[in-house]
Amino acid sequence: KKGLAVTGFDFSGEYLKEAAARAKKKKVSLRLMRGDMRGLKFRGEFDAAVNLFTSFGYFQKFSDDLKTLKGVAAALKPGGLFLLDSVHGDFLLKNFRARDWHDQGDHYLLEERSANRDGIFSAWTRIPKKGGKILKKIFFIRKYGKERISAALWKAGLKPFKFWGGFSGLP
């Protein structure tokens, strides 16, 4: 609605379908593409790139994170900006809990976590309340603090210049 040309890129077909439905409902157009962020093929196309809600750092190999950041750097026009939203590694450690249960309405979600020096492994077990298949997924999130993410950004050709502690601009 502000006149921006927007491209949405995600691995999840479901997320892209939801984005398309929301855009249609709001009568805005956007380009949606499905793919793996480690293989971004854009070259000097964007004024800005945005990665929100800790959607970065899930790969167990740091080299995969670096491929992603290099892809973002290549996708930006000269002077382009990259906003990366990620949970702070120190926060993860300070608030670490080995296990949590969540009531999700039609199912329970059990989160079991373990940590090592690089990150946190989280096993999610989805247990239906009224029978059905129990689903289990394992995730990894790399622990990034200011120094570690700065080093990664520099290595990828991006210049970190500002850090916040939340969307309200907290230090």
Side-chain angles (χ1 to χ4, degrees), residues 9-19 33-36:
F9 186 92
D10 204 297
F11 185 73
S12 169
E14 289 299 313
Y15 286 172
L16 293 170
K17 285 179 192 173
E18 183 174 337
M33 302 174 73
R34 186 169 190 262
D36 186 319

Side-chain angles (χ1 to χ4, degrees), residues 3 6-7 18-19 25 37-38 43 60 63 75 78-79 96 109 112 131 136 143 153 160 171:
V6 176
T7 298
E18 183 174 337
K25 185 176 179 179
M37 70 173 101
R38 293 171 287 190
R43 297 291 173 259
Q60 290 184 40
S63 59
F96 180 82
L109 179 66
E112 298 174 289
K136 189 167 189 170
K143 292 186 292 192
L153 291 165

Side-chain angles (χ1 to χ4, degrees), residues 51 54-58 62 65-66 68-70 82-90 118 141-164:
N51 184 293
T54 310
S55 297
F56 174 79
Y58 283 113
F62 172 74
D65 285 355
L66 195 55
T68 301
L69 293 175
K70 285 181 177 182
F82 177 42
L83 173 66
L84 175 63
D85 166 45
S86 185
V87 66
H88 194 288
D90 293 342
D118 284 329
I141 183 69
R142 187 168 315 286
K143 292 186 292 192
Y144 279 110
K146 185 177 180 179
E147 288 181 21
R148 192 175 197 185
I149 195 62
S150 291
L153 291 165
W154 278 111
K155 195 169 187 174
L158 295 162
K159 180 183 173 187
F161 70 94
K162 188 105 179 186
F163 293 85
W164 297 280

Side-chain angles (χ1 to χ4, degrees), residues 39-133:
L40 294 172
K41 302 290 186 215
F42 306 104
R43 297 291 173 259
E45 188 172 333
F46 302 105
D47 295 308
V50 179
N51 184 293
L52 296 174
F53 309 116
T54 310
S55 297
F56 174 79
Y58 283 113
F59 303 116
Q60 290 184 40
K61 294 191 305 189
F62 172 74
S63 59
D64 286 332
D65 285 355
L66 195 55
K67 282 180 195 173
T68 301
L69 293 175
K70 285 181 177 182
V72 170
L76 291 171
K77 293 177 182 175
L81 299 175
F82 177 42
L83 173 66
L84 175 63
D85 166 45
S86 185
V87 66
H88 194 288
D90 293 342
F91 177 85
L92 285 175
L93 291 179
K94 185 179 177 183
N95 295 284
F96 180 82
R97 294 173 58 150
R99 178 179 291 152
D100 279 311
W101 283 96
H102 306 280
D103 187 336
Q104 301 287 313
D106 64 339
H107 67 277
Y108 296 106
L109 179 66
L110 168 63
E111 291 186 60
E112 298 174 289
R113 300 174 198 89
S114 63
N116 66 24
R117 67 179 183 87
D118 284 329
I120 294 178
F121 289 90
S122 184
W124 290 11
T125 305
R126 185 181 188 275
I127 305 165
K129 289 183 178 178
K130 295 183 179 177
K133 188 175 181 180

Side-chain angles (χ1 to χ4, degrees), residues 14-33:
E14 289 299 313
Y15 286 172
L16 293 170
K17 285 179 192 173
E18 183 174 337
R22 288 183 182 200
K24 184 177 180 180
K25 185 176 179 179
K26 293 186 181 275
K27 297 182 176 135
V28 296
S29 65
L30 51 123
R31 176 173 66 161
L32 296 172
M33 302 174 73

